[in-house]
Amino acid sequence: MADNSEICDVIVVGTGPAGISAAVNLKILGADFILFGHSSLSEKVERSELIRNYPGLPEVTGPELNRLFAEHLSAAGVEIRNENVVGIYDMGDYLSVLTDKRSVNAFSVIIASGVQSLKPAKGELEFLGRGVSYCATCDGELYRGKKIAVVCDSPALEHEAVYLSSLAGYMYYFPVMKETSVKESDTLRIAGGTVKEVSGGMKVQSVITSSGESIDVDGVFFLKRSVSPSALMFGLATDEDGHIVVSRDMSASVRGCFAAGDVTGRPYQLAKAAGEGNTAAHSALALAKQRREEQKLQKIERQNT
Amino acid sequence: MADNSEICDVIVVGTGPAGISAAVNLKILGADFILFGHSSLSEKVERSELIRNYPGLPEVTGPELNRLFAEHLSAAGVEIRNENVVGIYDMGDYLSVLTDKRSVNAFSVIIASGVQSLKPAKGELEFLGRGVSYCATCDGELYRGKKIAVVCDSPALEHEAVYLSSLAGYMYYFPVMKETSVKESDTLRIAGGTVKEVSGGMKVQSVITSSGESIDVDGVFFLKRSVSPSALMFGLATDEDGHIVVSRDMSASVRGCFAAGDVTGRPYQLAKAAGEGNTAAHSALALAKQRREEQKLQKIERQNT
């Protein structure tokens, strides 16, 4: 297994109110942690017109609140690693987190990735790793010269779509946003609607669009700001709505895994998210310290035998 | 049972971050509710030097934050009823809340009374109603001309101590605060230390102070900003530290009863309290609406038979 020194205490996934709250607390608590997310912070907050129920800020607009959150992170000395987390793996004594750029290890992970604006398409989870991918930089190369469909739910991720179009033989592009900066070409078609279903045999063979059109493809990329919990981590208990099931201390069903914010369920509220991030930070760090101690003891035992 | 019109949706007990958060949300949700607490808000917040982990307010002093909370309540149009809640009773289809001034009914109650700075003395809960009282205006008259001990944990409650001294034959006063505005007299002694134990037979007969002194009294008043949950409501499940046991939706073991903030356990954090108040408001109002509907149906059934 990885050496103790290569494993950080906590990895926080997400830069909405829950992730920010967790990160600020971890910083104050002196934890060795990484915050993965988007430096533009939460799009959901950004789009909020007027927030009247975040105690202490009687009337605040979404953009104002995001600016205050950014100031808070900066004042606390917390840096955001602008990377997309595409998978979390249970390694027994620690967890491994895969982003579009690297793999890092932590004793605890806090999933604060929000709720999906984009519900998983039919077949999306079944074909994950068999033609469905969430990560352009991880898997793009596999589709060089091939025919792909790309669904994208954020302007912040369109550069990945552009990157994929530079590799693919032909690309069907499904932007979920109203406007897209991606241009059509001989090898890129901007398709109407969205991908409703992914189908195939051993591997993806086609996608079915919301207008019922079937398009043959070799692969499908879903470029989402947040991947659904069950796709992010295998075996994580979720409820019927796909929310991560957590205890009062914000621990999830996999040891070392914690969750906070909208991803744990309703009410989808700022204060609730910030509060859960706070609790998760304390719980996740306590477990990380315990696991680090356990590792030290194991190492000593191995040396003594 | 009481008429529907006499029962409000929700009663919130406490004006710390959790109670404020609950009240602001209930107001926005259009609930018929009452907020009981102290207009000076949380003493714990007030005494906080510098708060660095309340997301959105990078560095805020306790008094500043209390001022922002007060502004928020005022902007939202929420009024505080400056009354001490001394008991909550399960009436089957609704709850009855007793303050030092009145009794009011609600379909749901949110207990957001914080953690006790003053742990219950030995015997305090056993003798509650048999010589121990939390309410000067409710029970003071019973001790006219008699010998009493009065413990007080807040300057905001010293007027009750003064009121009791006007009734009592002799009063031993135990202020928990460093300074007191109450003056000694022929019939009032300011005692050192605090009350460690209450003892007696059928009724209170004496108190034992922290210095071991035994003083014969007919009754003991504990004037606390917040009464411990198990004294506040009979049968409410609490953990070994006296925190109210709650589910993820903030519901407690008695139907209609919810809790939020420090009273539900660690971490004792502002953001956690505010988040729980938010969740509790949503859960408590949903149940109140359901109970109101149930009552209407019962009334129609009674009329039809």
XYZ file of all heavy atoms in Angstrom, chain A residues 6 12 44-45 63 93 103 127 160 162 170 177 200 202 249 278-279 294:
144
model
N 2.312 9.724 1.610
C 1.658 10.018 0.340
C 0.151 10.144 0.484
O -0.551 10.364 -0.484
C 1.954 8.906 -0.671
C 3.408 8.823 -1.085
C 3.683 7.524 -1.834
O 2.709 6.888 -2.272
O 4.854 7.173 -1.975
N -11.657 16.933 -0.300
C -13.006 17.486 -0.411
C -13.342 17.602 -1.893
O -12.569 18.162 -2.664
C -13.114 18.869 0.262
C -14.534 19.425 0.147
C -12.677 18.805 1.721
N -25.128 26.854 -9.182
C -26.474 26.946 -8.614
C -26.595 28.205 -7.743
O -27.584 28.926 -7.818
C -26.738 25.691 -7.777
C -28.180 25.449 -7.458
C -28.337 24.098 -6.768
C -29.713 23.938 -6.187
N -29.809 22.726 -5.365
N -25.564 28.455 -6.927
C -25.558 29.677 -6.119
C -25.518 30.884 -7.050
O -26.281 31.834 -6.889
C -24.349 29.701 -5.152
C -24.218 31.061 -4.478
C -24.468 28.595 -4.111
N -24.574 35.785 -6.953
C -23.209 36.206 -7.293
C -22.479 36.874 -6.131
O -21.290 36.644 -5.916
C -23.431 37.192 -8.447
C -24.730 36.771 -9.062
C -25.568 36.271 -7.926
N -7.504 0.666 3.591
C -7.119 1.553 4.697
C -7.213 3.030 4.327
O -7.012 3.896 5.160
C -5.674 1.261 5.125
C -5.542 -0.154 5.653
O -6.567 -0.696 6.103
O -4.432 -0.707 5.602
N -4.158 10.977 -9.764
C -4.773 10.135 -8.742
C -4.129 10.492 -7.411
O -2.898 10.585 -7.318
C -4.519 8.667 -9.105
O -4.770 7.848 -8.007
N -23.062 1.280 -18.846
C -21.983 1.272 -19.838
C -20.761 2.083 -19.406
O -19.846 2.292 -20.197
C -22.506 1.778 -21.197
C -23.345 0.758 -21.918
C -24.732 0.838 -21.922
C -22.735 -0.305 -22.588
C -25.503 -0.112 -22.580
C -23.493 -1.259 -23.251
C -24.885 -1.167 -23.251
N -13.209 20.892 -22.784
C -13.019 19.444 -22.892
C -13.718 18.898 -24.130
O -13.228 17.971 -24.786
C -13.553 18.728 -21.643
C -12.777 19.092 -20.394
C -13.018 18.107 -19.248
O -13.381 16.941 -19.524
O -12.843 18.510 -18.080
N -14.139 20.624 -26.865
C -13.286 21.048 -27.980
C -12.101 20.094 -28.127
O -11.743 19.677 -29.235
C -12.799 22.512 -27.757
C -11.743 22.894 -28.776
C -13.989 23.472 -27.796
N -15.637 11.802 -35.835
C -16.863 12.574 -35.966
C -17.488 12.701 -34.580
O -17.524 11.744 -33.818
C -17.854 11.892 -36.927
C -18.949 12.848 -37.385
C -18.785 13.621 -38.538
C -20.123 12.997 -36.647
C -19.760 14.524 -38.944
C -21.104 13.893 -37.043
C -20.913 14.653 -38.192
O -21.884 15.546 -38.601
N -26.541 23.539 -22.037
C -26.740 24.975 -21.832
C -27.494 25.559 -23.030
O -27.492 24.999 -24.113
C -25.389 25.693 -21.729
C -24.423 25.099 -20.742
S -23.594 23.582 -21.394
C -22.506 24.269 -22.632
N -26.239 -0.732 -26.453
C -25.163 -1.491 -27.081
C -25.177 -2.919 -26.593
O -26.167 -3.388 -26.013
N -21.695 -5.555 -25.623
C -20.591 -5.532 -24.673
C -20.113 -4.093 -24.472
O -19.672 -3.724 -23.397
C -19.422 -6.367 -25.208
C -19.601 -7.873 -25.047
S -19.600 -8.333 -23.299
C -17.836 -8.099 -22.942
N -23.270 12.083 11.680
C -21.913 12.634 11.618
C -21.433 12.775 10.172
O -20.276 13.047 9.928
C -20.940 11.768 12.426
C -20.724 10.399 11.801
O -21.440 10.042 10.840
O -19.828 9.672 12.270
N -19.414 21.599 7.623
C -18.750 21.817 8.902
C -18.651 20.505 9.695
O -17.572 20.084 10.120
C -19.557 22.875 9.672
C -18.946 23.264 10.997
O -18.523 22.416 11.752
N -18.915 24.554 11.280
N -19.785 19.841 9.852
C -19.803 18.570 10.597
C -18.917 17.526 9.912
O -18.142 16.826 10.569
C -21.250 18.042 10.698
O -22.047 19.012 11.389
C -21.314 16.718 11.448
N -3.404 4.132 13.144
C -3.489 2.695 12.894
C -2.357 2.257 11.952
O -1.725 1.220 12.157
C -4.835 2.343 12.259
C -6.007 2.326 13.240
C -7.375 2.275 12.555
O -7.426 2.086 11.314
O -8.380 2.456 13.263
